[in-house]
């Protein structure tokens, strides 16, 4: 860690670490595109985009998380509409005609 703060051209081998973790946990990577990782390779915005991440609100999230977030928002909007409809229906029943 100290070496990374002292030397501007020192980079951690995150790509290699991630590959070893995937291998250790026996994650199936069949069909994935291989990319040659050099010791100087960095994981930057382009790398994260290639891995399927998108930046939303200053945070990197997977496309699955983005879809889940959109589904939660749609569900919340639906619940709000139902509550509004119920409130209007109850208001109509209570008001004298």
């Amino acid at each position: 860690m100290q070496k990374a703060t002292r030397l501007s051209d020192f980079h951690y081998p995150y790509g290699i670490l991630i590959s070893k973790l995937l291998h250790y946990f026996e994650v199936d990577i069949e069909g994935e595109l291989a990319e040659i990782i050099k010791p100087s390779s960095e994981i930057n915005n382009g790398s994260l985009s290639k891995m399927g991440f998108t930046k939303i609100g200053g945070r990197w999230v997977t496309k699955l998380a983005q879809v889940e977030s959109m589904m939660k928002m749609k569900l919340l909007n639906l619940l709000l509409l139902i509550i509004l409809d119920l409130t209007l229906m109850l208001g109509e029943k209570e008001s004298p005609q």
Side-chain angles (χ1 to χ4, degrees), residues 76-92:
L76 180 61
N77 286 336
L78 180 62
L79 288 172
L80 289 173
L81 286 173
I82 291 170
I83 291 169
L84 180 63
D85 285 346
L86 289 173
T87 304
L88 291 174
M89 287 172 42
L90 290 173
E92 289 175 1

Side-chain angles (χ1 to χ4, degrees), residues 11-15 35-44 47:
H11 306 288
Y12 288 109
Y14 290 118
E35 190 171 322
I36 297 172
I37 303 292
K38 296 175 262 173
S40 62
S41 294
E42 291 182 33
I43 296 180
N44 55 21
S47 304

Side-chain angles (χ1 to χ4, degrees), residues 64-82:
L64 178 61
Q66 182 180 8
V67 168
E68 288 173 350
S69 176
M70 287 182 353
M71 293 299 291
K72 286 179 185 176
M73 288 300 293
K74 286 182 180 182
L75 181 59
L76 180 61
N77 286 336
L78 180 62
L79 288 172
L80 289 173
L81 286 173
I82 291 170

Side-chain angles (χ1 to χ4, degrees), residues 30-66:
E30 193 71 31
E32 294 291 330
L33 296 176
E35 190 171 322
I36 297 172
I37 303 292
K38 296 175 262 173
S40 62
S41 294
E42 291 182 33
I43 296 180
N44 55 21
N45 293 350
S47 304
L48 290 171
S49 293
K50 285 181 188 176
M51 289 187 267
F53 288 87
T54 55
K55 196 168 190 176
I56 298 175
R59 290 182 44 194
W60 285 97
V61 295
T62 62
K63 294 197 186 227
L64 178 61
Q66 182 180 8

